[in-house]
Amino acid sequence: MKAAPFAYCRPDSVDEAVDVLAGGDAKVLAGGQSLVPVLAMRLGRPGTLVDITRLPGLDSLVVQDGQLHVGAAVRQRRVERSAEVAAVPLVARALPFVGHRELRSRGTVCGSLAHADPAAELPAVAACLGASVVVRGPGGERVVAAADFVTGAMTTAVGPDELVTGVRFPVAGAGEGFGFAELARRHGDFALAGVAVRVRGEAATLAAFGVSDRPVVRELTLDPDPTEAGLRPVTDALAAEVVDTDGDAHGSRGYRVRLLGVLAAREIVRAHREAHR
Ligand SMILES: Cc1cc2nc3c(=O)[nH]c(=O)nc-3n(C[C@H](O)[C@H](O)[C@H](O)COP(=O)(O)OP(=O)(O)OC[C@H]3O[C@@H](n4cnc5c(N)ncnc54)[C@H](O)[C@@H]3O)c2cc1C
């Protein structure tokens, strides 16, 4: 099947992009790795595509004021291969799990956030780290906490007349440790379940993905010397609470609960060890 006809627009400024979006029936085109299949299957029929990939000012990738700033036109693979990504180890660890290398060489970090697939890695990482998403619309700029950004499956706090211009991830501080793991049937597939973890002292933040309609974030207080076996009753109970799916052909709800409990315990211990090294 081919996409329905659409107009194509490559604006010269963010203001122009916002004007076109405000006209209605328009969609932002970033890497196209999710949008183009949607168009080809006619699951969406926007009247106009607003191509932001060459928009001046959206291609910055810089560490500044304790944050890694990633502009909306920055491709996932560029971040993965950059020196800057070392400042945010959780992003560095998660990126190789985002689809395949070929997809990451076109797909953008902000496009992944805006697409908001429930099994996507980057929205969970952003929520776990307390990242900020910068959004521009007709009323000006606003900043949305990543934890509030995804509002449901494939749904975000971004209005149809708004554009994500960038995301800011906090740089890792001394004494922080991180864990990331997921299970997919094949590498590059969307995860059946996954976790992103940050530990500071005995405080852990865990974001689970692939188990609900959006990333689920929980705070935990750890023992001074946590072990996987010791944590399992806690993470198993947490998994039973947060897994919110009936299951599908790839795994039942019960399987995902068990998987999440195991991954969470393992990655919390790993992150705790790293934090106290
Ligand atoms: C075979 C396959 C496997 C994949 N596996 C994974 C995976 O394992 N994990 C994963 O996370 N992703 C996966 N993806 C998706 C991939 O990561 C996409 O790159 C990503 O979801 C979207 O990024 P994009 O830049 O290509 O956005 P696009 O496809 O251009 O856009 C996606 C959506 O976001 C909107 N959008 C994009 N940028 C903005 C913006 N700046 N402001 C407002 N709205 C915007 C678009 O309008 C569109 O609705 C996979 C894709 C494929 C085809």
Side-chain angles (χ1 to χ4, degrees), residues 27-35 52 72 76 97-99 103 106-108 110-112 114-115 120-121 158 162-164 188-190:
K27 269 272 177 202
V28 173
L29 173 67
Q33 298 304 294
S34 297
L35 183 58
I52 62 162
Q76 295 152 6
F97 290 93
V98 179
L103 296 167
R106 299 292 304 175
T108 62
C110 291
S112 175
H115 188 60
E121 293 81 4
V158 182
E162 289 184 311
L163 170 75
V164 174
D189 283 3
F190 280 104

Side-chain angles (χ1 to χ4, degrees), residues 14-28 48 50 136-139 159-163:
V14 170
D15 285 343
E16 190 187 337
V18 169
D19 279 349
V20 179
L21 290 170
D25 197 24
K27 269 272 177 202
V28 173
T48 306
V50 184
R136 183 90 74 86
D161 55 355
E162 289 184 311
L163 170 75

Side-chain angles (χ1 to χ4, degrees), residues 13-14 18 62 65 78 94 116 121 126 146 154 167 175 178 194-195 251 263-264:
S13 68
V14 170
V18 169
V62 62
D65 302 329
R78 179 173 159 212
E121 293 81 4
M154 315 287 196
V167 57
F178 302 93
V195 289
L263 295 179

